[in-house]
Amino acid sequence: DGSELAEIDNYVRANHKEPSSDMFGIAKNKNIILISMESTQSFVINNTVNGEEVTPFLNDFIKESYYFDNFYHQTGQGKTSDSEFVVENSLYPLSRGAVFFTHSGNKFNATPKILSEKGYYTASLHANNKSFWNRDIMYKTLGYKRFYSLPDYEVNEENSVGWGMKDVDFFQQSVEHLKEMPKPFYAKFITLTNHFPFDLDEEDRYIEPYTSNDKTVNNYFPTVRYTDEALKLFIQKLKDEGLYDDSVIILYGDHYGISENHNRAMSEYLGTEVTPFVSAQLQRVPLIVHIPGQKGGTISTVSGQIDLKPTILHLLGIETKNDLEFGTDLFAKDRPDFAVLRDGSFITKNHVYTRETCYDKITGEPDEGSACQQFMEKSKNELEYSDKIIYGDLLRFYGRPDGTGKEITGKTN
Ligand code: GP9
Ligand code: MN
């Protein structure tokens, strides 16, 4: 009955954190450029392979942006689509299947929908078949006005590799689409070249592969480096077109690129054994937030993709205190250090809990004390509450009829 929704609502209310007054509305009416970086994990940032930087552009860009170095992906089997889901709804994806397929008929209160209502033009850009991950259907549910997919790009033999259009060409052609969009816009770009099995043409290889007996790990580095170059050219183009200063640019990694099947070569590369603790720490993905006029800095709060929605809305000066969601503004002064992964692992300020073991972050060794105990229920609750919202399509009963206040209506069954 409706009490289920009331319980979830109470939990969300109790955990809501007020936005930082310094940051709230700081980017009001600016464009939002959201970039999903395929399979990009944090370990490549400020790192080298064969003595060469893997992400020279991002390493520079970070210096003039906010960089979150303890930011985790929270995806499950729905991979890229799960990351889109969690980022735009501040709800967890499901433990099985892809919510983009299983619940595209639900009611959601996603960032594109909220921003559309505030006068933003909203678009997703991805040079793949529109029905991949059921995006064409789900994007309507999320409130997108336009999906620039395969037919909106000139794709040929020359500018394709692996899964499809090369990132450099994708971004270059996408700028033409951006130019024709009404302002302000919320535009999401999904890169593709750095996708397993990390195929790349010789001419696009800016660095040499790693050398181990694991081809996947070896080839990962040159494709990451290639996307880094594509991003550099894209940002330059935004500057040339006069779009840079009017846009908040947010880059994040969608999910891991190197699975646990490659622990041996990864141990070699990292110079440390990939234990379950290290494996959980490898679920960090980069999050870079560039705000015009802001110097930025590195922020080490433990956080996840679930936190992006309230963060973006607050930067634009839009309140979220009546939204049913599980994330916390990344700039909120008293935000807790916390991220729960979809497999139930969780990370706090000093601990990592994974595979039923609580690890001390500094030593990487099991902590026999009760440090993780207090977060176990929170982790379980959040995932369960989020699942209930999705399985029960509970946002149907959670209306904001006048666009301002929360109102719980009707019964849930
Ligand atoms: C495909 C792209 C990659 O359109 O999003 O999908 P993935 O396999 O990473 O989910
Ligand atoms: Mn992906």
Side-chain angles (χ1 to χ4, degrees), residues 39 72 76 89 98-99 115 167 185 251 342 367 371 396 403:
S39 299
Y72 292 78
N89 294 286
V99 60
L115 291 182
D167 289 345
F185 56 72
L251 302 108
R342 188 55 257 200
D367 182 329
R396 277 179 303 164

Side-chain angles (χ1 to χ4, degrees), residues 38-39 77-82 84 126-129 132-133 135 163 190-192 195 254-255:
E38 177 60 41
S39 299
Q77 293 170 342
K79 308 293 302 213
T80 309
S81 73
D82 274 359
E84 295 180 69
H126 182 49
N128 196 358
N129 202 299
F132 199 94
W133 283 129
R135 283 185 175 107
W163 274 57
I190 303 170
T191 71
L192 194 55
H195 195 290
D254 63 350
H255 50 73

Side-chain angles (χ1 to χ4, degrees), residues 44-81:
V44 297
I45 302 292
N46 290 318
N47 213 340
T48 58
V49 68
N50 311 313
E52 295 186 276
E53 274 182 289
V54 187
T55 58
F57 169 70
L58 291 180
N59 298 347
D60 279 344
F61 195 59
I62 279 169
K63 293 181 194 143
E64 49 192 75
S65 307
Y66 290 100
Y67 173 54
F68 295 86
D69 61 356
N70 273 313
F71 179 80
Y72 292 78
H73 83 81
Q74 294 164 305
T75 62
Q77 293 170 342
K79 308 293 302 213
T80 309
S81 73

Side-chain angles (χ1 to χ4, degrees), residues 4 6 21 68 76 98 132 162 186 221 246 318 332-333 350 378 396:
E4 195 153 67
S21 53
F68 295 86
F132 199 94
Y186 169 92
F221 295 95
D246 289 328
I318 299 167
K333 290 262 160 20
N350 301 314
K378 179 179 169 68
R396 277 179 303 164

Side-chain angles (χ1 to χ4, degrees), residues 349-388:
K349 194 171 174 56
N350 301 314
H351 293 86
V352 168
Y353 181 87
T354 189
R355 311 247 184 102
E356 277 146 52
T357 307
C358 183
Y359 292 89
D360 180 306
K361 257 191 193 170
I362 295 173
T363 63
E365 296 297 325
D367 182 329
E368 305 300 343
S370 59
C372 288
Q373 215 65 39
Q374 62 175 126
F375 292 96
M376 284 168 88
E377 199 180 310
K378 179 179 169 68
S379 302
K380 213 171 137 268
N381 277 345
E382 286 210 4
L383 293 172
E384 278 177 15
Y385 286 155
S386 181
D387 286 351
K388 278 182 179 166

